[in-house]
């Protein structure tokens, strides 16, 4: 026998069973055969087109017949009259064939079609309804039983009533042996008088529908009368039978069924008699008992066995015919129906009387109608559509089937939170109670159909629909939602950022999968969605606006900062080992590159050739990928035929067809994004630019668009200016590497012609007589001129570097040239650019003169243009002095004329003051470092809004003047380097009130950029301005003594600037350290006698102190504070050398940064800055040499080496570091406020942890003592906080445990070391630090012999607030009781223990807590049991701190009464 499959078996088990079955070759139980379609019996084509069906053939059946054995063939089908009246198939042809109709000569084809048409409407129009309005309605007899009555099958014999035996079914036998009364039907004749429906408001007099029995009122309203009448009617038919107990089991097991029926009936009658003898209250009580005793499921089953519940009758209403037919079998009353019409008044009276009410919870009862009234009669609802008479079979309105046509109910908007976000097709949030018509299409969703809009879940579902239109609609809506989220214009507020949630939900993979669709609409929507996801709309416009600023061509890679992940073995997890979702959660661009998005975009652009909007979005996506990193740019360059397609299709060299304002055909038409893509690729590296120049002939494209005037281009004038501007930007980037300079020689006449045009260009705003188009054209012209000047500035740098390259090439030997080949000299030299200086000077003089005499606010394009001209002049003077043809006399004369006639008048104008005021209002100090737009960690951006300038980073707003200020200050600084005698002319800039106020704001609120937000990279433009301001003071202060009063301000600015510089600005860091920070002109306190004044101030302070105050000077007799300051001032040179060596370790990064800062084209490899990671120099940079020394010592100890002593240069470096810290803490304390006080202490711990006796060196301890006195001043102690995480320290508790171990091992009770031990155990800090001393390192207490009067930390900091930790108090008691802490060993710790013990034992806090009271009483008994009575007396009679006493506290002369009562209570227990 073959075993059947069982639950739980796997697929392998099923396959094994199948193989066993096939191996046995047993005949199957069923076979699949083909059977013909019996409905197609016509010959000819119908027989040939017959469709075969699958028929299951059972064993024993005849395969030829297709039917089981014994079964007869199908009976002939009965045709309807409509079928019979149709013409034969041959009249009009077989189905599927063409029907030919002969037309008369003038007959209309439509009339002929109507004549021959056999449509269903032709048939239905001939149907005539029979009028039954006057027909009599005969109602059946009423009965108490259901109709028909369900009879028990029982036992039947083969023959009854003498009839011969015949094989029949059991039902047929019982039906023949039963009478009509057993089915509840009386055979008595009824009255022939018909029942007429009364005329009322609810029943129409001419209704064609038959009257329902339930529509008539009961003849009697009494329950007892109804039951009696029902029993009298059913008396002749059958006795009343039980409903719950049917006795079916007794009948089946009995040999005499009749006897069994009698027994059942007798039991039933006894039950009825017992119930009739009970009152209603007794019945209800018994029901309640049964409900409590029986199982709820059993109780429910018994209730279901009872008779159906009668429903109360109401005023008759008209109902559809279908309902009347179904309800005619149910009656609400067993009373006989009246044969006469019943008046309406009597009907209303009858319905107001008592009715039977059955309640499942409380049992049967009588509802008198007073407590609960009948609901008011409702008017029939009007159908949602108007039913017309012409509609067939629509005379009955089925409300449930047309309810979907009704208007949606209004959604509730009670709560304001927690609702699911829904969006319209424009990507905007839709309010729940928004009154939006259904025809807008926002209600076609599954859940909450009354609420308009689509949720994100529904949009994701629609995007996977098989209907193309639904997919396109969903993808377009998601794209617009993303765009609106990007610009924070979503029409409402969301509880969580939406874009990260969408990325987590997989919207990136949705777009990528849909991008492979073949439908062009889906591709368009996907490209739009990817562009909305990847691109911040305002980033590109802001980058283009600042491109012509000083060093504006440098770009920050838009790459997320991802920490390296390690596996279980400690190995770094590479990107190729991560899954796509993991990679997408960290870096979206990398995930897209892995998913071959570049190949797909190339296919779309090359093969699909979509419309212009799709092409523009695809190019924007490529630009965003290129801005990610150099690796992403490399992927673009190596993608087959991608750049070839871009150059061939969207950067044509031949003429193109002119189009309107909106580009409709993108192919064979110059597109600005295509040229911008080439520019971004060139910015990422010299080798990329060289590849585009050689392989794709980039300069031919640039010359094609740059040499033509925008007004002559066959395109929109705005696009023409932008295309020409972008061409010059590409040229500028190439020139920055020293490339494409030969084109400058070819286009020199054209460029000189452009400069002559620029001389006639005015920067003043146009008056109101010019329309908006003229003003826009003027702004575009200034932007183009600005770009041309920036490109020419790059040419100046290339020509100026030619001499340097030639000199280096001459100095190099042949062997060095072969080993390290250098780039050849550029094709241009200074002679090729000397003619540019004269026309550019004329432009600068005109524009700056217009600014001097202008009181109006200039446009952003005008400021950028003037700034570009000033940068050009600064570059000319920088390179002029290095040329062989340099004439010092001519150069100095040019400078004097430029300063006297141009710069000095401008510095006294209102325009200059407005520019400086603009610096303060647009400074980064007004920015909190966080972006106001949504931040996506896996997809960083610059957070620039395309329209709202308030959401843009302050220094790059459209109204910012930082670009102009950088050019002006750079020119002034360059001129002072050459002509130092002009320094006094620029004192107004240094001493300007607006400048000093701006610098004070910068020093008061130093800006720290967050490494996780790329928006902070914009601050580099403010860094340029601050750097040149500091450098300007450096040059002016050397020639003018009047500026020294601002040395503190400018030195503080330099310190703040140093900790704000970013990656890529290493040259600024190096220059500030070498020329500014340690220069004596910036530390004027050392020259004006400040060290001597410090000693005098200390002496006056000491004389003013009370003799009772603790002395912090007696602990260390060494050099005074003034002497230490003078010593530090004298060692500024060695201090400078120390930090220069430390920060000069990154030589490669410094070289690249210097090449960009000094504009050395031959050394610039890329204009892409290093990855943005926040500030380059940490806030605690002054302590870095100490940290470096500690790390090196730890490495040596890990290698088994013991650091016993240090060489002199190491000791000198530590001393110089402490000198610099002491100097800054004394003269520049506000500049170090940004460093947490706890971090300063943690850095000084490195000195104690390095070596065994380093802290005992006189030079080291000589500066540690004054630094300790500074850190123990009240304002410093107030800022000290060890309860928060210390920056740069993983666990301060572990660090403190290390310092305790070191103290116990090597301190020998050193009092300086002891002070640093005591700092973290002050009472306001974490109790775990105090436990570390009192419990974990008890041996430390033995050597903490710091005298009370020599403690620099106020003793009250250890005593207040009182100790509330019971565990610590117990530790205190154990230490003093065991003798671990004694007043002679550690007076400070002994004072702390006695004070906290006394306060804890006799405090009235926590008296309501039983455990706390028990602990106090327990400790009091322990104190009373001490053998040391002196200690016992000190604890019990401690009064307070008193440094005049030997122990530092005084005692009560006698025990206070309160304490005495507490002691007595403790003794009694």
């Amino acid at each position: 026998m073959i075993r059947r499959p069982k639950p739980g078996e796997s697929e392998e088990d099923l396959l094994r069973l199948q193989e066993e079955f096939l191996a046995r070759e047993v005949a199957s139980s069923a076979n699949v055969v083909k059977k013909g379609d019996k409905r197609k019996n016509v010959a000819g084509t119908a027989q040939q087109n017959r469709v075969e069906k699958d028929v299951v053939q059972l064993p024993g059946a005849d395969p030829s017949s297709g039917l089981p054995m014994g079964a007869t063939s199908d009976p002939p089908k009965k045709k309807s009259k409509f079928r019979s009246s149709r013409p034969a198939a041959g009249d009009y042809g077989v189905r599927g064939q063409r029907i030919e109709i002969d037309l008369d000569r003038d007959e209309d084809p439509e009339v002929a079609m109507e004549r021959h048409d056999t449509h269903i409407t032709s048939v239905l129009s001939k149907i005539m309804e029979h009028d039954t309005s006057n027909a009599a309605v005969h109602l059946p007899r009423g009965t108490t039983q259901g109709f028909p009555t369900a009879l028990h099958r029982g036992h039947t014999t083969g023959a009854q009533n003498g009839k011969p035996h015949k094989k029949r079914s059991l039902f047929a036998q019982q039906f023949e042996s039963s009478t009509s009364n057993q089915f509840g039907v009386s055979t008595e004749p009824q009255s022939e008088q018909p029942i007429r429906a009364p005329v009322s408001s609810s029943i129409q007099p001419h209704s064609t529908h038959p009257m329902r029995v339930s529509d008539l009122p009961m003849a009697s309203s009494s329950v007892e009368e109804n039951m009696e009448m029902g029993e009298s009617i059913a008396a002749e038919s059958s006795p009343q039978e039980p409903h719950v107990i049917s006795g079916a089991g007794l009948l089946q097991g009995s040999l005499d069924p009749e006897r069994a029926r009698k027994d059942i009936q007798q039991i039933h009658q006894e039950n009825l008699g017992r119930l009739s003898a009970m009152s209603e209250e007794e019945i209800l009580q018994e029901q309640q008992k049964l409900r409590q005793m029986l199982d709820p499921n059993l109780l429910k089953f018994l209730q279901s066995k009872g008779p159906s519940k009668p429903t109360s009758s109401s005023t008759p209403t008209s109902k559809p015919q279908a309902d009347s037919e179904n309800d005619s079998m149910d009656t609400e009353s067993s009373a006989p129906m009246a044969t006469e019409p019943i008046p309406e008044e009597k009907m209303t009276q009858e319905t107001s009387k008592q009715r039977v009410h059955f309640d499942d919870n409380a049992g049967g009862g009588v509802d008198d109608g007073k407590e609960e009234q009948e609901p008011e009669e409702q008017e029939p609802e009007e159908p949602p559509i108007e039913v017309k008479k012409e509609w067939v079979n629509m005379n009955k309105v089925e409300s449930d089937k047309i309810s979907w046509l009704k208007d949606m109910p209004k959604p509730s908007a009670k709560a304001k939170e927690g609702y699911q976000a829904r969006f319209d097709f424009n990507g905007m949030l839709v309010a729940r109670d928004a009154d939006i018509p259904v025809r807008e299409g926002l209600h076609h969703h599954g859940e909450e159909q009354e609420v308009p809009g689509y949720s994100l879940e529904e949009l994701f579902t629609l995007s996977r629909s098989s209907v193309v239109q639904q997919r396109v609609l969903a993808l377009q809506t998601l794209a617009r939602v993303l765009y609106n989220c990007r610009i924070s214009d979503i029409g409402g507020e969301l509880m969580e950022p939406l874009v990260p949630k969408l990325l987590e939900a997989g919207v990136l993979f949705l777009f990528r999968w849909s991008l492979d669709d073949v439908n062009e609409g889906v591709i368009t929507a996907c490209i739009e969605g990817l562009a909305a996801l990847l691109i911040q709309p305002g980033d590109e416009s802001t980058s283009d606006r600042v491109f012509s600023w000083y060093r504006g061509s440098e770009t920050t890679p838009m790459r997320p900062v991802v920490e390296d992940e390690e596996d279980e073995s400690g190995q770094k997890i590479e990107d190729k080992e991560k899954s796509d979702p993991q990679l997408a959660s960290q870096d979206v661009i990398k995930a897209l590159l892995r998913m071959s998005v570049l190949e797909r975009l190339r296919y779309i652009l090359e093969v699909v050739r979509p419309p212009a909007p799709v092409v523009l979005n695809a190019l924007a996506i490529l630009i965003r990928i290129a801005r990610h990193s150099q690796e992403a740019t490399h992927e673009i360059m190596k993608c087959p035929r991608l750049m070839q397609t871009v150059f061939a299709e969207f950067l044509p060299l031949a003429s193109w067809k002119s189009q309107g304002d909106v580009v409709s055909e993108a192919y064979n038409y110059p597109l600005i994004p295509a040229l911008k893509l080439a520019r971004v690729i060139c910015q990422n590296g010299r080798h990329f630019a060289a590849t585009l120049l050689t392989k794709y002939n980039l300069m031919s494209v640039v010359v094609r668009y740059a040499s033509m005037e925008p007004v002559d281009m066959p395109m929109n004038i705005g696009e023409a200016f932008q295309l020409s501007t972008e061409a010059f930007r590409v040229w500028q980037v190439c020139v920055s590497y020293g490339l494409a300079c030969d084109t400058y020689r070819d286009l020199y006449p054209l460029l000189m012609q452009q400069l002559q045009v620029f001389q006639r260009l005015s920067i003043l705003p146009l008056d109101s007589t010019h329309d908006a188009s003229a003003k826009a054209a003027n702004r575009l012209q200034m932007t183009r001129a600005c770009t041309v000047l920036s490109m020419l500035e790059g040419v100046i740098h290339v020509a100026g570097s030619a001499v340097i390259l030639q000199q280096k090439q001459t100095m190099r030997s042949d062997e060095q040239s072969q080993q390290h080949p250098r780039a050849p000299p550029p094709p241009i030299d200074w002679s090729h650019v000397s003619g540019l200086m004269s026309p550019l000077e004329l432009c600068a003089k005109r524009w700056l003169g217009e600014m001097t005499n202008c009181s109006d606010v200039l446009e952003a394009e005008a400021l950028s243009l003037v700034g570009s001209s000033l940068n050009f002049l600064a570059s000319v003077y920088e390179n002029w002095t290095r040329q062989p043809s340099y004439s010092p006399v001519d150069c100095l004369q040019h400078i004097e004329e430029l300063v006297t006639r141009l710069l000095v008048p401008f510095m006294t104008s209102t325009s200059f003051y407005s520019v400086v005021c603009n610096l303060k209002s647009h400074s980064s100090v007004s920015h909190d470092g966080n972006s106001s737009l949504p931040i996506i960690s896996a997809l960083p951006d610059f957070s620039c809004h395309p329209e709202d300038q308030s959401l843009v980073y302050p220094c790059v707003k459209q109204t910012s003047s930082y670009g102009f200020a950088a050019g002006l200050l750079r020119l002034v600084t360059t001129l002072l380097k050459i002509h130092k005698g002009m320094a006094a002319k620029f004192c107004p800039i240094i001493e300007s009130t607006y400048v000093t106020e701006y610098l004070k704001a910068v020093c008061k609120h130093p800006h720290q950029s967050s490494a996780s937000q790329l928006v902070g990279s914009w601050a580099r433009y403010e860094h340029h301005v601050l750097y040149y301001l500091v450098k300007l003071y450096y040059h002016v202060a050397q020639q003018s003594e009047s500026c020294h009063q601002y040395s503190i301000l400018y030195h503080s600015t330099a310190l703040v600037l140093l900790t704000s510089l970013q990656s890529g600005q290493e040259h600024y860091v190096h220059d500030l350290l070498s020329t500014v920070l340690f220069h004596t002109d910036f530390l004027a306190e050392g020259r004006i006698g400040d060290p001597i004044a410090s000693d005098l101030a200390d002496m006056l302070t000491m004389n003013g102190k009370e003799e009772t105050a603790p002395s912090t000077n007696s602990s260390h007799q060494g050099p005074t504070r003034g002497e230490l300051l003078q010593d530090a001032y004298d060692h500024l040179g060695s201090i400078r050398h120390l930090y220069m060596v430390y920060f000069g370790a990154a030589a490669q990064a410094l070289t690249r940064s210097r090449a960009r800062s000094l504009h050395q084209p031959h050394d610039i490899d890329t204009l892409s800055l290093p990855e943005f990671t926040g500030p380059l120099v940490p806030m605690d940079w002054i302590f870095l040499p100490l940290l470096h020394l500690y790390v090196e010592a730890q490495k040596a100890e890990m290698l088994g080496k013991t650091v016993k002593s240090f060489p002199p240069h190491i000791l000198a470096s530590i001393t110089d570091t402490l000198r610099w810290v002491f100097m800054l803490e004394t003269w520049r304390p506000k500049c170090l406020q940004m460093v947490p006080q706890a971090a300063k202490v943690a850095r000084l711990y490195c000195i104690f942890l390095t070596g065994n006796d380093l802290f005992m060196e006189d030079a080291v301890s000589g500066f540690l003592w004054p630094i300790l006195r500074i850190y123990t001043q009240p304002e410093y102690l107030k800022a000290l906080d060890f309860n928060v995480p210390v920056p740069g320290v993983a666990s301060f508790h572990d660090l403190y445990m290390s310092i305790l171990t070191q103290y116990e091992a090597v301190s020998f009770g050193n009092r300086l070391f002891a002070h640093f031990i005591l700092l973290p155990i002050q009472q306001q800090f974490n109790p775990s630090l105090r436990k570390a001393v009192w419990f974990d390192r008890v041996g430390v207490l033995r050597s903490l012999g710091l005298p009370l009067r020599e403690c620099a930390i106020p003793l009250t900091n250890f005593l207040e607030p009182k100790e509330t930790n019971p565990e610590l108090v117990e530790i205190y008691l154990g230490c003093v009781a065991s003798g671990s802490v004694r007043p002679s060993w550690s007076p400070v710790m002994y004072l702390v223990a006695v004070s906290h013990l006394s306060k804890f034992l006799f405090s009235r806090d926590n008296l309501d807590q039983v455990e706390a009271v028990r602990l106090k009483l327990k400790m009091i008994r322990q104190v009373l049991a001490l053998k040391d009575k002196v200690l016992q007396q000190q604890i019990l009679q401690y009064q307070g701190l008193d440094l005049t006493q030997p122990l530092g506290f005084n005692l009560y002369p006698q025990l206070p009464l309160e304490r005495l009562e507490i002691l007595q209570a403790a003794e009694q227990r």
Side-chain angles (χ1 to χ4, degrees), residues 303-320:
Q303 289 178 348
S304 64
K305 300 293 289 183
S308 59
K309 299 178 182 180
T311 58
S312 58
S313 62
S314 58
T315 55
T317 57
S318 176
K319 293 187 178 181

Side-chain angles (χ1 to χ4, degrees), residues 1309-1330:
N1310 184 273
R1311 296 179 180 180
L1312 175 63
F1313 204 163
H1315 275 91
F1316 283 91
I1317 293 295
L1318 293 177
L1319 280 175
I1321 63 174
Q1322 299 178 65
Q1323 196 62 24
Q1324 67 267 28
F1325 300 137
N1326 198 318
S1328 62
L1329 298 176
R1330 297 193 291 276

Side-chain angles (χ1 to χ4, degrees), residues 601-737:
L601 290 177
R602 191 271 310 162
Y603 176 82
I604 293 173
L605 294 177
E606 183 183 19
V607 179
V608 180
R609 302 176 71 88
V614 182
V615 174
L616 295 177
N617 283 331
L619 293 175
I621 293 172
L622 292 175
I623 293 173
R624 176 60 183 87
I625 294 176
R627 288 192 181 276
H628 176 268
S629 60
Q630 291 182 338
E631 293 80 2
T633 305
H634 178 67
E635 294 294 331
I636 294 177
M637 293 294 293
K638 75 175 186 179
C639 181
R641 302 194 309 280
L642 176 58
M643 294 305 300
Q644 181 180 354
T645 302
V646 172
F647 274 86
E649 301 292 349
F650 311 119
L651 295 174
L653 296 176
S655 60
W656 59 86
K657 183 180 179 181
S658 177
Q659 301 189 31
D661 294 339
V662 179
V663 179
S664 58
E665 179 57 40
Y667 287 83
N668 296 323
Y669 187 82
L671 296 181
I672 301 172
L675 197 56
K676 186 175 184 178
L677 174 62
R679 187 243 298 178
V680 174
I681 291 176
C682 292
Q683 286 178 278
N684 281 316
R686 174 194 295 268
H687 56 291
F688 294 132
T691 302
L692 293 182
L693 291 173
T694 57
K695 185 176 180 180
Y696 299 103
N697 202 9
L698 176 60
M699 283 312 300
S700 299
V701 177
V702 172
V703 172
R704 175 69 175 85
Y705 302 140
S707 60
M708 183 182 295
E709 287 293 331
V711 294
D712 298 334
M713 293 185 182
M715 58 193 313
N716 179 273
I717 186 65
E719 293 183 357
F721 271 105
Q722 293 178 10
L723 183 64
S724 178
T725 301
E726 193 61 48
F728 278 106
R729 286 173 181 166
V730 176
W731 195 358
Q732 175 187 346
V733 173
C734 295
V735 168
S736 299
Y737 302 122

